[in-house]
Amino acid sequence: TILEGGAAALQPASQKAVVAESGLAARLAVVGRVVAEQRFFHWQLAFAEVFALRGGVDLFLGNPPWIKVEWSEAGVLGDVDPQLNLRKLSAKQVADLRQKVLSSNELADLYLQELAGTQGQGVFIASGANYPLLRGVHGNLYKCFLERTADLAGPVGAVGIVHQKGLFDDPSGGQLRAALSIRLRWHLHFINKLLLFADIEDQKHYEFAVLGPPQVRPDFAQVSNLFHPRTLDESLRHDGSGHVPGIKTDQDSWDLRGHRSRIVRIDDAALALFAGLYDAAGTAPRQARLPVIHSAEILGILSRFAHPPHTLASLNDSEYRCVSEHLKESRQQ
């Protein structure tokens, strides 16, 4: 490579221009082919008048894919031979099927196109230039949708996304949470016990994020442990009287009753409380992970845990020895 570079430096300027032009043409040919295959979508080009006249989109509402961009050879090979998906084949049988696919020019092209597309998407998503708020975050498409739609929303735009649990408690997702915290209006946490999403298990958790234009500081509502949307509607209409319903009723069914205290207001003070309780020392409040808080009363209890009047570290030696003796199980049998 060094010798070739040295030889190129000795070429006349006209020859260098021809070489550069031919190289550019080859690259543009590759770009054209990839664009035709992948059909990239450009919001600002597809909706140029929306961005020119309104500065962005007014409303995004969606349930983006909850999947990681990963190469799945079984999926491609299963399109060729469905037995791979229907039966549990041995490693040798899979290898034989792969060999069969790659021996056919047509099937090999299909296989390699899927491989190149998956690898290309993975690199694109992992690039800090494309998704700066997802640096260090394990890529999942719903996270990409949240960052992208927030950027594409106009000055009065709103975003409503159904997404998988994990966005607001990922230890590496602090940057994204900080950016979303001033846009969040509602953070709703659901458990699929009533199988509202029939295709996923009843143990699964999922969430709604409702975003608006950026505010000066975080101020949003969080409702956790929801089993049905009617609980949110009733909580909004409730007058605040009576006991806060729990997870289950006395009849052992899921409690769907609403209560005003179920709506927990989250601001900078609450985020600082969460950061102090659950995150590493020095974590910025707006990067704090959001815990599951059943009611506003629980928020008050957490503040007591965060600011105890006495700690083990504040005890003198004799007091500490007295407490530590009670913690030794071998002495207290």
Side-chain angles (χ1 to χ4, degrees):
T1 304
I2 294 174
L3 290 176
E4 289 174 356
L10 299 176
Q11 291 177 347
S14 59
Q15 291 184 15
K16 290 181 184 179
V18 171
V19 172
E21 186 175 346
S22 63
L24 178 61
R27 292 187 179 190
L28 289 176
V30 172
V31 169
R33 176 175 58 79
V34 173
V35 167
E37 292 173 356
Q38 299 296 328
R39 308 283 296 174
F40 298 115
F41 187 81
H42 299 277
W43 285 90
Q44 286 86 347
L45 293 177
F47 301 108
E49 70 283 1
V50 172
F51 288 90
L53 299 177
R54 302 187 62 80
V57 179
D58 286 347
L59 178 66
F60 283 103
L61 183 63
N63 178 13
W66 305 354
I67 58 174
K68 300 171 185 175
V69 178
E70 297 176 326
W71 167 241
S72 175
E73 182 184 58
V76 179
L77 296 178
D79 290 339
V80 178
D81 187 348
Q83 290 188 82
L84 184 64
N85 295 329
L86 299 176
R87 301 178 182 175
K88 189 174 181 179
L89 302 183
S90 66
K92 184 181 185 307
Q93 289 174 311
V94 173
D96 291 342
L97 181 57
R98 183 193 306 114
Q99 191 63 36
K100 174 185 173 183
V101 167
L102 296 178
S103 65
S104 164
N105 290 336
E106 182 179 353
L107 294 179
D109 285 345
L110 171 65
Y111 181 95
L112 293 174
Q113 283 178 7
E114 290 292 332
L115 175 60
T118 302
Q119 297 295 339
Q121 289 180 38
V123 172
F124 184 88
I125 291 172
S127 170
N130 298 320
Y131 294 95
L133 299 179
L134 296 180
R135 293 178 189 269
V137 177
H138 198 54
N140 196 305
L141 285 184
Y142 73 83
K143 298 177 183 178
C144 301
F145 272 77
L146 262 172
E147 179 175 351
R148 180 64 69 231
T149 50
D151 289 341
L152 295 172
V156 295
V159 178
I161 296 292
V162 185
H163 58 88
Q164 196 173 25
K165 181 174 168 56
L167 174 68
F168 291 104
D169 60 9
D170 184 344
S172 303
Q175 280 190 300
L176 181 59
R177 284 193 293 273
L180 296 180
S181 67
I182 57 174
R183 290 179 175 270
L184 265 178
R185 300 299 190 270
W186 288 91
H187 172 233
L188 308 175
H189 163 251
F190 279 81
I191 309 174
N192 198 41
K193 289 296 184 181
L194 300 182
L195 291 177
L196 300 185
F197 280 83
D199 295 333
I200 64 174
E201 301 171 9
D202 65 341
Q203 303 292 329
K204 292 291 185 181
H205 298 234
Y206 58 93
E207 298 178 339
F208 283 74
V210 179
L211 312 177
Q215 304 179 109
V216 177
R217 59 185 63 85
D219 182 16
F220 60 92
Q222 175 174 296
V223 187
S224 301
N225 295 330
L226 290 167
F227 303 104
H228 195 281
R230 70 174 249 198
T231 307
L232 175 62
D233 295 334
E234 291 185 10
S235 298
L236 288 167
R237 295 191 297 264
H238 195 267
D239 61 5
S241 61
H243 294 295
V244 180
I247 301 294
K248 281 197 167 186
T249 66
D250 293 337
Q251 292 73 37
D252 201 35
S253 60
W254 302 109
D255 201 333
L256 307 183
R257 293 174 297 164
H259 194 286
R260 189 168 66 186
S261 289
R262 292 294 305 279
I263 302 174
V264 181
R265 302 302 307 186
I266 307 296
D267 53 16
D268 271 329
L271 292 174
L273 171 64
F274 302 153
L277 279 174
Y278 301 113
D279 291 292
T283 298
R286 296 183 186 181
Q287 294 189 12
R289 290 175 291 173
L290 298 183
V292 173
I293 302 177
H294 190 75
S295 68
E297 288 79 4
I298 301 297
L299 192 63
I301 294 173
L302 291 179
S303 67
R304 298 290 292 181
F305 278 116
H307 306 99
H310 304 289
T311 66
L312 289 178
S314 65
L315 301 178
N316 60 40
D317 290 343
S318 61
E319 291 172 330
Y320 183 80
R321 282 195 299 272
C322 179
V323 171
S324 64
E325 288 297 318
H326 288 283
L327 300 178
K328 292 180 179 178
E329 292 185 4
S330 60
R331 295 287 297 275
Q332 302 301 325
Q333 293 179 2

